Amino acid sequence: MLPFARIMEYGNVAPEPTPTIKIRDIVAGSNALLLITEDNDLWVRGNNAYGKLGIGTDTIVNITEWTKVRSDVKLACVSNLVCVVLTVDNKIFYCGDEWFESGGSVSSKVVQWKDVTSQFSAVNLGTVREMKMTYYCVGLVTTDNRLFAKGYDNNHSFGGASSKVNAVLVASNVSKLYTSLSSTIYSSTTGGYYRSGTSTTGALGTSVNLTSYNLYSAPIFASECAVGMSTINSGILYYDTAGITRYVIAGQNSSYQLGVAIGNTSNLYSYTELTSVRDKFRDLWSDLNNSALSFAISKDGNTLYYAGTNNTLSAGDPGVAYSSTFKEVPFSFNNITKAASLGYLSIVRDSTGWYYSGDATTLYGLPSSDTFIPLPLPSAV
């Protein structure tokens, strides 16, 4: 019998690459990020006020590394004190302020995921295609273009009664839904945009609050393009009858975020076209946005523009304090599909991956950066 021999190879052996997760989306909320994978995992990071991020406690104020909290999530959204998820088996859970569940009658901290599916009996949850939040109220758009709302609608952001203990139908013919903490806009399949909620700053193109949906029909409107919203301003991008994109703005310009040189003590109380950017943009900022900064994406998708303040480094423009007109972010992107700005962090997705810029250490545990750099992502286990 031949003696046993161990055969070994010597030299440098390349380590196995760390497997990465496949991301469906990263949702930006009020100082929090929700990462949803193609495998339906939900990872969270950021401010955990009222225990809204579902880690089982509110004693950890800021979650400074990616933490997986669920493995069954289809859609998710988060506001300042509430996080809501729709699961793959068509149930609704939430964490955070009980105002969401009680319709505003009871406020307490819910730090364990709570099933409130029974409050959505009016909705066929299997048909929900879009879900977004205001302060304490969630809106769900179904495949038959109906919009339902449920929660404490303290600013009448979905119109009607403020207490919506159970989900109610608030609109039909809804194409896309856009939200800020205090108001909503939806584009209609029949044309035009409908607005409801807080508008004392002019945020909805009027100087008065709207307690029901009110139509805004842009001049020579042909088809929708995009809407960007914050608590104090909004922008609407649409195609005119010649196929050219037009951008109208309204609201407060306290941080120069409107992109118009009217000074930072002025408000626009009706939608006004920013003619200098006509046919320049194809999309605007998304999710619950930082009210001091606006983003727009170029027609070819490769350039990001911003207007507003850069005092938290979230504009990604080193050495610049603010821009009162839309200015190119000095970074080479490739086919941007999403741009969102929170108070201390902005995120961008393009064909090559996810990037961030901002003073993101305290809230997110990320190295501060005054330019866009790759966003660290969870590793597949």
Side-chain angles (χ1 to χ4, degrees):
M1 178 181 290
L2 295 173
F4 171 77
R6 175 176 292 174
I7 300 174
M8 300 184 66
E9 292 184 10
Y10 293 92
N12 294 326
V13 179
E16 291 291 326
T18 302
T20 56
I21 61 173
K22 294 181 179 180
I23 299 174
R24 185 186 308 154
D25 195 12
I26 298 179
V27 179
S30 293
N31 294 323
L33 296 174
L34 309 178
L35 185 154
I36 308 170
T37 72
E38 294 289 354
D39 295 325
N40 306 313
D41 292 333
L42 176 64
W43 298 74
V44 299
R45 192 169 194 151
N47 183 256
N48 186 42
Y50 265 58
K52 68 180 180 181
L53 293 184
I55 63 170
T57 181
D58 68 326
T59 59
I60 300 175
V61 178
N62 295 317
I63 301 173
T64 53
E65 59 184 22
W66 288 114
T67 302
K68 187 165 77 170
V69 294
R70 296 191 69 93
S71 300
D72 60 350
V73 173
K74 187 190 307 185
L75 297 172
C77 52
V78 61
S79 68
N80 58 327
L81 296 180
V82 182
C83 180
V84 181
V85 301
L86 172 63
T87 64
V88 293
D89 58 350
N90 300 318
K91 294 181 179 179
I92 299 282
F93 292 80
Y94 87 101
C95 277
D97 198 323
E98 193 180 359
W99 266 356
F100 168 73
E101 179 184 354
S102 69
S105 63
V106 178
S107 178
S108 65
K109 297 176 182 178
V110 178
V111 300
Q112 303 287 346
W113 292 102
K114 187 170 183 180
D115 187 344
V116 289
T117 307
S118 61
Q119 295 182 324
F120 291 82
S121 60
V123 190
N124 181 350
L125 293 175
T127 66
V128 173
R129 60 177 171 86
E130 192 174 9
M131 185 171 77
K132 293 185 177 181
M133 288 206 72
T134 56
Y135 273 115
Y136 310 103
C137 199
V138 69
L140 302 96
V141 183
T142 57
T143 53
D144 60 354
N145 302 326
R146 295 193 295 170
L147 172 60
F148 295 84
K150 180 265 179 297
Y152 177 36
D153 194 8
N154 56 322
N155 293 295
H156 302 280
S157 52
F158 290 94
S162 60
S163 181
K164 296 176 171 68
V165 177
N166 297 302
V168 294
L169 177 67
V170 296
S172 300
N173 301 316
V174 175
S175 177
K176 294 181 182 178
L177 173 66
Y178 306 89
T179 66
S180 73
L181 287 172
S182 58
S183 56
T184 69
I185 296 176
Y186 72 83
S187 56
S188 174
T189 59
T190 61
Y193 297 87
Y194 288 81
R195 314 153 287 166
S196 187
T198 301
S199 190
T200 51
T201 63
L204 297 177
T206 177
S207 60
V208 297
N209 294 335
L210 300 174
T211 59
S212 62
Y213 278 110
N214 181 277
L215 173 65
Y216 166 71
S217 183
I220 59 174
F221 172 90
S223 61
E224 65 179 290
C225 186
V227 174
M229 297 189 70
S230 81
T231 55
I232 60 174
N233 67 281
S234 65
I236 294 176
L237 186 69
Y238 66 94
Y239 290 99
D240 67 16
T241 52
I244 291 173
T245 59
R246 293 175 178 252
Y247 181 50
V248 295
I249 51 174
Q252 191 174 107
N253 198 41
S254 55
S255 298
Y256 304 100
Q257 65 270 50
L258 294 181
V260 59
I262 61 171
N264 66 339
T265 60
S266 300
N267 292 28
L268 291 177
Y269 291 103
S270 60
Y271 281 113
T272 303
E273 186 185 359
L274 195 58
T275 56
S276 61
V277 298
R278 187 175 291 178
D279 209 34
K280 193 171 186 176
F281 304 147
R282 77 174 188 188
D283 204 354
L284 302 174
W285 70 93
S286 62
D287 299 345
L288 288 179
N289 194 65
N290 165 20
S291 61
L293 186 65
S294 300
F295 280 136
I297 300 168
S298 65
K299 291 293 290 288
D300 65 4
N302 298 332
T303 302
L304 183 66
Y305 294 87
Y306 80 95
T309 185
N310 190 33
N311 58 2
T312 62
L313 313 180
S314 52
D317 195 3
V320 178
Y322 69 92
S323 179
S324 60
T325 57
F326 277 94
K327 182 179 185 295
E328 289 188 23
V329 174
F331 188 87
S332 296
F333 291 106
N334 183 36
N335 192 23
I336 301 169
T337 55
K338 183 170 189 173
S341 179
L342 293 79
Y344 291 86
L345 174 75
S346 293
I347 58 170
V348 175
R349 185 183 199 176
D350 74 358
S351 62
T352 66
W354 289 88
Y355 299 86
Y356 83 95
S357 180
D359 185 8
T361 303
T362 300
L363 283 174
Y364 303 97
L366 295 167
S368 290
S369 177
D370 60 1
T371 188
F372 280 95
I373 59 176
L375 176 67
L377 302 173
S379 298
V381 178

